[in-house]
Amino acid sequence: MSEITAYVDAAAIRSNIEYLQKVSQTNLMAVVKANAYGHGLAGVVSICTKAGIDWFGVATIDEAQKVKATAPEARVLAWLYQLDEEMIQCAIDSGIHLAIFNEQQVEFLSYLQTEQQITVHLHIDTGMSRGGLSPSEAVQTAQTISQNPKFNLEGVFTHLVSSEASNDEVVMGQLATFREIQTQIKKLGIEVPNFHLANSGGALNYDVSDFSFVRAGIALYGIDPSDKPNSNLKPAMKVSAPIIQLKQVDKGIGVGYNHTSKTEQDTTLALVPVGYADAIPRTASGKLTVWVNGEKRRTFGTISMDQFIIEAAAQDEIGDEVIIFGDPSLGHPTVCDLASAAGTISYEVLVRIGSRVQRKYLNL
C-alpha cells in the first residue's frame, strides 16, 4: 500500500456541480481529461454520473474510452486525435463524439468506410490560435457537414482565452464572434443541438446562460481558475502522508542534496515519504509549508524524488499525518499555495500527481 494518499471528497464535487450550474444558469459538461485533473477518472465519472451529469469532455479518444467503460450511456466529447482509421473507427463504434478542428478531418471522415453515423462537434478558433477552424470557415463547414448523411452535427464550440478575469476585452470579442457564427448557422436552417464555449472561468465570470452547457474543468474540483480563493467552490482533494522518521540533529547541520539548508539550532527533523515523483514540484524547495498537528511547518532542504524533510515539533510522532494541501477552511495549505511556491499553476500540480499516490473517495 502506498504511503501517500489523495482523499477525494465526492460531496465537494457535487457541491461544485450545483454551484456551477446555478451561477452559469445552464447545464454542465464535466471535463475529466488528464485523469480527471489528477483526481482519478473512473472515480470522478462515477461521482458525476450519480449527480446527474451525462456530458463529459476529454482530450483523447483513449480517455473517452475510459469514460465509456465507467458510464456506457454517457455522452463523451474527445477534442484531440490523429487521423488513424482504426482508432477513429473504435471511437465511432463506442459512440464517442469527435471534434472537427480542420478541413482535413472532414475529408478523412467523409471517406471512412463505416455504417454508423459519426457524431461531431465543430471547433471554431475565435482567438486561441490553437486547434479550430477560422470564423470565416465555420459556417460553410457547418453546412458541408450538415448536408452529409454520414455526419451527425451535434455541436459547435470554441474555447476562451482568458476567462479567469471578468470583462476581459479578448473574451468579450470571442463571445461576440461566436454568437454571430451561431446566428448565421441558425439562419441557414442548420439544426445544431448544442452550442458551447465556456470553460470554468467562463462559467464563473460571464453570462453564458444562452449556451447548452459549460465545460467545467478546474472549478469542478473546487479551484478557481485564477488560483485565487473562492469561497463558493470546495476543494475536492487532500493529499497527505505520514511522518516515517524523527531525527535529532545539531545546529549547523546541512539537510538534503547539496546542503541547500542548514539547521539554525538543535532541531528535530521529520522525514515524509513524498517527493517530486508524487505531488510536490522540486521548484517548491525551501518555500513549501505543510500542515502537521494543527500547525504550518516549513520544509528543509531540496525536495527529493521520493521524500522531503520538515522541522518537527515536540508533539510530533511517527505516523502523524502531514497534509501537503487540503481544505483551506481547516487551515490547510491549498494546492494553489503549493503551485505558488513551485512557480506554476494549480492545474499543473494536480495533473502531475503520480501513480504512487493512492486515491480514496469519501462521502460517496
Side-chain angles (χ1 to χ4, degrees):
M1 181 177 292
S2 173
E3 298 282 1
I4 319 151
T5 304
Y7 298 92
V8 179
D9 187 354
I13 292 175
R14 290 192 294 268
S15 175
N16 295 331
I17 290 171
E18 183 178 347
Y19 176 70
L20 288 163
Q21 289 175 325
K22 178 181 177 181
V23 73
S24 67
Q25 292 295 296
T26 189
N27 294 320
L28 183 142
M29 170 189 281
V31 179
V32 292
K33 62 181 180 176
N35 199 24
Y37 289 59
H39 291 67
L41 185 147
V44 170
V45 168
S46 179
I47 292 166
C48 291
T49 300
K50 290 176 183 176
I53 300 301
D54 64 352
W55 275 105
F56 293 91
V58 294
T60 70
I61 289 173
D62 180 64
E63 290 175 325
Q65 296 284 14
K66 290 175 181 177
V67 174
K68 282 288 194 178
T70 300
E73 301 304 314
R75 293 179 285 182
V76 189
L77 172 62
W79 46 71
L80 289 175
Y81 57 94
Q82 60 180 324
L83 298 180
D84 180 276
E85 184 172 341
E86 183 178 354
M87 178 177 64
I88 291 173
Q89 185 61 61
C90 186
I92 295 167
D93 291 343
S94 299
I96 292 167
H97 298 203
L98 298 174
I100 295 287
F101 50 88
N102 59 53
E103 292 180 343
Q104 290 75 25
Q105 291 171 319
V106 178
E107 183 177 359
F108 181 89
L109 294 173
S110 295
Y111 288 102
L112 195 66
Q113 297 299 312
T114 179
E115 295 180 0
Q116 292 178 263
Q117 257 195 330
I118 307 168
T119 299
V120 297
H121 293 235
L122 193 60
H123 183 185
I124 312 304
D125 176 15
T126 58
M128 283 292 285
S129 300
R130 301 192 307 188
L133 291 146
S134 69
S136 63
E137 300 171 303
V139 177
Q140 180 58 57
T141 305
Q143 191 169 38
T144 299
I145 290 172
S146 69
Q147 292 171 348
N148 188 333
K150 182 166 281 188
F151 292 109
N152 168 33
L153 182 56
E154 179 70 22
V156 176
F157 73 105
T158 192
H159 193 63
L160 301 178
V161 171
S162 45
S163 61
E164 65 274 11
S166 59
N167 298 314
D168 180 84
E169 183 178 352
V170 174
V171 171
M172 297 303 290
Q174 288 184 278
L175 285 163
T177 297
F178 191 69
R179 286 188 169 112
E180 176 59 27
I181 291 169
Q182 181 182 26
T183 298
Q184 291 180 33
I185 288 173
K186 288 183 175 180
K187 279 184 178 178
L188 290 173
I190 301 170
E191 293 186 9
V192 181
N194 298 292
F195 287 86
H196 49 106
L197 89 167
N199 48 13
S200 290
L204 294 168
N205 299 318
Y206 293 86
D207 180 3
V208 292
S209 58
D210 52 324
F211 297 112
S212 304
F213 47 76
V214 296
R215 302 187 304 270
I218 196 76
L220 178 67
Y221 309 101
I223 311 300
D224 192 286
S226 69
D227 269 357
K228 295 176 181 177
N230 186 332
S231 60
N232 294 306
L233 298 172
K234 298 184 183 302
M237 181 183 285
K238 178 183 81 171
V239 174
S240 68
I243 293 171
I244 62 170
Q245 177 183 275
L246 293 167
K247 177 181 285 190
Q248 301 289 332
V249 296
D250 296 333
K251 177 182 178 180
I253 297 298
V255 179
Y257 284 118
N258 306 117
H259 287 180
T260 55
S261 295
K262 291 187 177 182
T263 55
E264 298 173 357
Q265 58 192 11
D266 293 351
T267 305
T268 301
L269 299 178
L271 178 65
V272 186
V274 185
Y276 60 77
D278 306 302
I280 306 175
R282 189 172 181 270
T283 50
S285 297
K287 295 169 280 187
L288 174 68
T289 60
V290 296
W291 187 262
V292 188
N293 290 322
E295 298 175 352
K296 285 187 177 180
R297 303 287 173 75
R298 62 173 179 153
T299 55
F300 265 99
T302 300
I303 294 165
S304 302
M305 184 182 293
D306 318 299
Q307 56 198 284
F308 69 93
I309 299 292
I310 62 172
E311 184 178 25
Q315 69 267 31
D316 295 344
E317 298 180 355
I318 290 175
D320 285 351
E321 182 183 40
V322 177
I323 297 173
I324 315 303
F325 61 82
D327 186 348
S329 71
L330 301 176
H332 303 164
T334 68
V335 67
C336 300
D337 293 331
L338 173 53
S340 178
T344 185
I345 56 175
S346 57
Y347 299 72
E348 185 174 11
V349 172
L350 290 171
V351 301
R352 287 191 172 190
I353 293 174
S355 59
R356 297 190 300 195
V357 181
Q358 62 175 331
R359 275 76 170 173
K360 289 188 176 180
Y361 297 91
L362 310 176
N363 299 313
L364 293 171

